[in-house]
Amino acid sequence: MSESIFLDIKVPNETGYLRLLGKIGEYLAQSLESYPGDREELAYHINLVLTEAMANAIRHTVDSKPGETLHVTLHVKNRKLTIKVYDQGRGFTFCDLPEPPPSCLAEHGRGIFIIKTLMDRVSYRKYDNGHVLEMEKILY
């Protein structure tokens, strides 16, 4: 795999853009012609983690001002996909989030669990005036 792709996207901090960003991630995964695995499954997973990450970022920036943006980067290089979701919100304590029980049917509280399950590495840290959720997927 020798593809090198970098996407830098800024959208308004509104849930109306979740589907668009999920689809961008999906199309990116489908375009990785040298990916040896199931590209449709990868596309579904990337769409899901992007949507969950953006929903979390919007939820945790409710104290932000109208018109603020969310910043997302997707980078494919050296057989690795790195997704970063930046926000200017209060953030949350990443390590203290409990894992939901396997039978949990609640609509909220599963986003980080899903992201951790589908990605190979996940971190959350302060960044400038906000936070960044960084997710990596090894593409071998």
Side-chain angles (χ1 to χ4, degrees), residues 9-97:
I9 304 164
K10 291 181 182 176
V11 296
N13 186 8
E14 299 170 13
T15 57
Y17 292 90
L18 293 176
R19 184 175 177 173
L20 171 65
L21 284 167
K23 286 292 183 185
I24 289 171
E26 191 175 316
Y27 293 142
L28 172 68
Q30 290 169 338
S31 73
L32 299 174
E33 293 182 7
S34 61
Y35 177 67
D38 182 343
R39 281 189 282 163
E40 289 303 318
E41 180 180 77
L42 178 65
Y44 176 77
H45 289 171
I46 299 307
N47 183 333
L48 184 58
V49 298
L50 261 174
T51 303
E52 291 291 340
M54 293 296 295
N56 268 350
I58 291 168
R59 180 173 300 124
H60 294 287
T61 59
V62 293
D63 57 346
S64 64
K65 299 174 188 136
E68 285 191 356
T69 60
L70 290 177
H71 182 197
V72 179
T73 62
L74 299 101
H75 192 192
V76 176
K77 187 174 182 182
N78 298 329
R79 298 180 182 197
K80 182 171 66 176
L81 167 63
T82 304
I83 301 171
K84 295 180 182 178
V85 177
Y86 301 85
D87 69 70
Q88 293 89 39
R90 293 173 276 151
F92 54 91
T93 305
F94 185 71
C95 295
D96 293 343
L97 294 176

